[in-house]
Amino acid sequence: MAVVYSKSSPYAKTNTFGNGQFLDLLVYPTIDKQTDDVLFTINSIYQYRPDMLAYDLYGNSALWWVFRARNPNTLDDPIFDFQAGVSIYIPKQTTLTTNLGI
Amino acid sequence: MPLQGSIGVNDPSTSTSKPGLLDTALNIVDPAGIRKQISGLFDGGVAGLFKKNKTPTKNISKAKDPKNPDKKDWRVKISLPTASKIFYNDKSNTFLNILNRTGGVIFPYTPSITVTHNARYQEQALTHSNYKNYFYDGSDVGPITITGDFTVQNTDDALYLLATIYFFRSCTKMFFGTDSLAGSPPPIVYLDGYGDFYFPHVSCIVTSFSHTMPPDCDYLEFKYSTAPGGAKTYYESDGSVSSSAQNTARLPTTSQITVTIQPVFSRSNIHNNMNLTDFSKGQLLSGKGGFL
């Protein structure tokens, strides 16, 4: 039976094959870049914790991957590149609502 | 006193219980609020009251030149005539259709390009002369060699590279056999890039194409289908899905394409449009011959 991923999952837009049993290569949902996105320098509180930042900002730790999707040139690894001192843009809740429907 | 980070917002970590006076003062039930306050962040990732952005919000995901939003793409592109119905312009050719997204082949990384302009002179070594004499013979534009890198990080990249390879392979061959266009030579392609002046929609023929696959990189496996409309599904006698006709292929995560194209201009185009005075003024661009 095919698995359906939630809208907040990074796999929501990833294709499946084999009658929906297997995931294809990961395709991140698009997170639009807005001119008024806040530039945030990761501090020691959130180091390696994109899930905690997602919970604090959006109330949903499952959105840990949106920072990587918004900053693909800065965050290659969504967790281990999430280090103190790295500056990233924070997608707004309204952007996530528009892009992900959540 | 509420924390700055929690002004007028609904924090899920605090919504389930009602904090007492002391708890509110110390904010021990709102660790998320403390973290946000220390970090200078606000709910929803907004800029906050004191950081209001006076410029209107604008989506920059598909960035264009703000001074000239209608500006043409400056990337190097090799394309078919828009009126042609072959290759990626053929709607039944789902294999090459991915090139329609970019209206031809776009080199994703800045390619290395060599353009040669020749003036041919016949030299005459005269008897009893200290110098040779040169008599003008003719001029031409030599083959343009374009070498560009292609990387493959996902299925989309792989399909684009595969379509690019098959497009250039096809551009070096004539229509043959049972083709409806049998007997026609390989198609004319157009070269664009770096604005209107450097490659002004130059008509060319593809004279050579090579794809270098390095041994020291990963090869990405991906699936594709050449069947119209995508993958074809086969069914068992009981109606269950048996398999899909998707093919599997592998392409290097980084490889290099070298294509040599020769600018060609029809005799009527040369006769009607070409003159050196206008050419030297930069006036024989796209729509007026596209001369190099």
Side-chain angles (χ1 to χ4, degrees):
Chain A
M1 182 180 166
V3 177
V4 178
Y5 288 89
S6 75
K7 290 176 180 175
S8 57
S9 167
Y11 301 105
K13 303 279 185 186
T14 302
N15 290 328
T16 57
F17 58 94
N19 200 21
Q21 294 181 70
F22 306 104
L23 271 174
D24 207 335
L25 293 168
L26 171 63
V27 176
Y28 274 111
T30 305
I31 304 294
D32 285 340
K33 298 172 180 174
Q34 310 281 348
T35 51
D36 60 348
D37 284 346
V38 171
L39 182 64
F40 171 59
T41 303
I42 300 168
N43 54 27
S44 56
I45 296 173
Y46 293 111
Q47 179 162 253
Y48 306 130
R49 294 300 304 274
D51 58 326
M52 193 160 75
L53 182 59
Y55 176 78
D56 288 355
L57 295 177
Y58 315 120
N60 185 355
S61 59
L63 293 170
W64 57 270
W65 54 272
V66 300
F67 307 110
R68 194 273 169 205
R70 173 62 181 83
N71 303 272
N73 294 330
T74 310
L75 302 175
D76 192 24
D77 187 308
I79 296 171
F80 292 105
D81 287 341
F82 210 84
Q83 296 176 343
V86 174
S87 294
I88 59 169
Y89 286 99
I90 305 282
K92 295 191 295 297
Q93 175 72 60
T94 51
T95 307
L96 301 184
T97 303
T98 306
N99 290 157
L100 308 178
I102 56 176
Chain B
M1 182 179 170
L3 286 172
Q4 196 175 17
S6 303
I7 297 170
V9 295
N10 295 320
D11 193 315
S13 65
T14 60
S15 59
T16 52
S17 60
K18 198 171 183 178
L21 187 65
L22 184 63
D23 290 343
T24 306
L26 298 176
N27 213 358
I28 58 174
V29 294
D30 187 15
I34 294 176
R35 290 194 296 263
K36 281 183 287 186
Q37 187 190 31
I38 293 172
S39 306
L41 293 171
F42 289 82
D43 266 15
V46 296
L49 298 175
F50 57 90
K51 285 184 178 176
K52 269 198 172 174
N53 197 336
K54 292 181 180 175
T55 56
T57 302
K58 186 179 174 186
N59 191 337
I60 54 173
S61 298
K62 294 173 181 175
K64 286 187 174 180
D65 184 348
K67 293 178 182 173
N68 188 1
D70 298 325
K71 189 177 173 184
K72 289 178 183 173
D73 195 344
W74 58 266
R75 291 176 293 181
V76 176
K77 181 169 82 171
I78 296 177
S79 58
L80 290 170
T82 48
S84 72
K85 300 291 181 192
I86 58 172
F87 301 163
Y88 64 79
N89 284 332
D90 178 3
K91 288 181 180 173
S92 67
N93 192 337
T94 54
F95 187 52
L96 294 184
N97 259 180
I98 193 169
L99 297 179
N100 247 332
R101 291 186 196 172
T102 47
V105 172
I106 277 183
F107 287 81
Y109 300 96
T110 307
S112 157
I113 303 178
T114 306
V115 189
T116 312
H117 300 262
N118 301 313
R120 297 187 308 278
Y121 290 85
Q122 286 194 354
E123 69 176 38
Q124 187 70 47
L126 300 178
T127 308
H128 291 177
S129 172
N130 289 323
Y131 301 98
K132 289 178 179 175
N133 280 42
Y134 290 85
F135 297 92
Y136 179 67
D137 187 8
S139 300
D140 63 78
V141 181
I144 299 172
T145 305
I146 304 173
T147 304
D149 292 330
F150 280 74
T151 54
V152 173
Q153 299 289 322
N154 50 47
T155 302
D156 217 37
D157 292 348
L159 291 174
Y160 194 88
L161 176 58
L162 194 64
T164 298
I165 292 167
Y166 263 83
F167 172 70
F168 284 128
R169 282 182 184 176
S170 305
C171 283
T172 58
K173 293 175 172 57
M174 68 175 288
F175 293 89
F176 185 78
T178 55
D179 266 326
S180 58
L181 296 171
S184 299
I188 294 282
V189 296
Y190 287 95
L191 175 64
D192 295 89
Y194 304 126
D196 292 332
F197 286 89
Y198 203 88
F199 293 126
H201 205 55
V202 185
S203 51
C204 301
I205 49 175
V206 179
T207 56
S208 119
F209 161 68
S210 68
H211 180 222
T212 306
M213 304 169 79
D216 53 352
C217 73
D218 292 332
Y219 278 61
L220 185 95
E221 185 173 300
F222 63 99
K223 295 191 180 299
Y224 69 95
S225 171
T226 55
K232 191 178 286 182
T233 305
Y234 293 104
Y235 295 91
E236 298 288 354
S237 55
D238 61 356
S240 61
V241 176
S242 168
S243 64
S244 165
Q246 282 191 321
N247 301 310
T248 304
R250 286 189 177 206
L251 280 175
T253 50
T254 177
S255 59
Q256 200 170 57
I257 278 182
T258 301
V259 59
T260 306
I261 55 178
Q262 174 64 54
V264 289
F265 304 101
S266 69
R267 294 188 67 172
S268 66
N269 185 17
I270 295 170
H271 185 265
N272 296 328
N273 296 323
M274 173 65 193
N275 71 76
L276 186 56
T277 308
D278 287 349
F279 179 82
S280 67
K281 293 176 182 172
Q283 293 179 346
L284 303 185
L285 303 176
S286 178
K288 292 185 178 178
F291 291 103
L292 281 184

